[in-house]
Amino acid sequence: MDKIYLNRLSFYGYHGLFKAESELGQRFYVDLELELDLKPAGISDEMEDSINYGEVYQLTKEVVEGERLSLIEAVAEKISAQLLSNFAQLTACRVKVVKPDPPIPGHYESVAVEIYRVRS
C-alpha cells in the first residue's frame, strides 16, 4: 500500500494525569503514516485524488489542542478515529504521539505511543 508521511507535527496541549500538566500544558509531537492508493493522484496530478496535508494537520491540531485527555494513548486513538472518519480514501493509519520531558521520576527525553488502525 502507498503511504503519506507527516512527521513531527508540533502542538501545545494539556494532556496528562497530573494537575500541573492540565494547568501548564506542554508541547506534543505527532507522526502520521497514512495508507491509501496514491496511483490515481500520481496519474492525474489532482488534489482530489490524494489527501490534503493541510486538512490532516488541522484535524490533528484540533484533537491535540482540544479536549484534555489523561493518556497519550487516548490522544492517538482520537486522532486515528478522526482521520479514518474524515478521509474516505484512507485504508489505515499509524499515529505516534510523543510527549517530551514527561513528569515522571528519572530523566527521560520523551515517552511515546504508536498505534495502527485499519478501516473496518
Side-chain angles (χ1 to χ4, degrees):
M1 182 54 58
D2 303 324
K3 296 177 183 178
I4 293 174
Y5 296 91
L6 285 83
N7 299 311
R8 202 156 166 89
L9 304 177
S10 180
F11 307 101
Y12 202 86
Y14 294 85
H15 311 290
L17 293 173
F18 301 107
K19 185 177 179 184
E21 293 175 296
S22 65
E23 293 172 351
L24 301 173
Q26 70 179 82
R27 181 80 34 211
F28 291 86
Y29 299 108
V30 177
D31 295 328
L32 301 173
E33 180 180 301
L34 311 176
E35 292 186 9
L36 67 156
D37 182 5
L38 292 173
K39 186 174 183 178
I43 293 170
S44 72
D45 196 29
E46 298 292 335
M47 177 50 66
E48 61 265 8
D49 291 328
S50 187
I51 290 180
N52 184 309
Y53 309 155
E55 291 174 9
V56 171
Y57 173 87
Q58 187 60 40
L59 184 147
T60 305
K61 178 180 178 172
E62 289 169 8
V63 172
V64 179
E65 295 184 356
E67 175 191 5
R68 182 193 171 283
L69 298 167
S70 296
L71 303 176
I72 57 175
E73 291 89 331
V75 175
E77 193 66 44
K78 192 169 182 179
I79 292 169
S80 69
Q82 289 293 319
L83 290 171
L84 289 168
S85 69
N86 283 280
F87 299 100
Q89 62 273 54
L90 271 184
T91 58
C93 64
R94 185 177 312 277
V95 177
K96 180 179 180 182
V97 177
V98 179
K99 184 177 194 175
D101 302 313
I104 53 180
H107 181 71
Y108 295 92
E109 179 183 305
S110 66
V111 295
V113 300
E114 181 177 285
I115 64 171
Y116 179 77
R117 298 295 179 260
V118 178
R119 182 177 303 285
S120 54

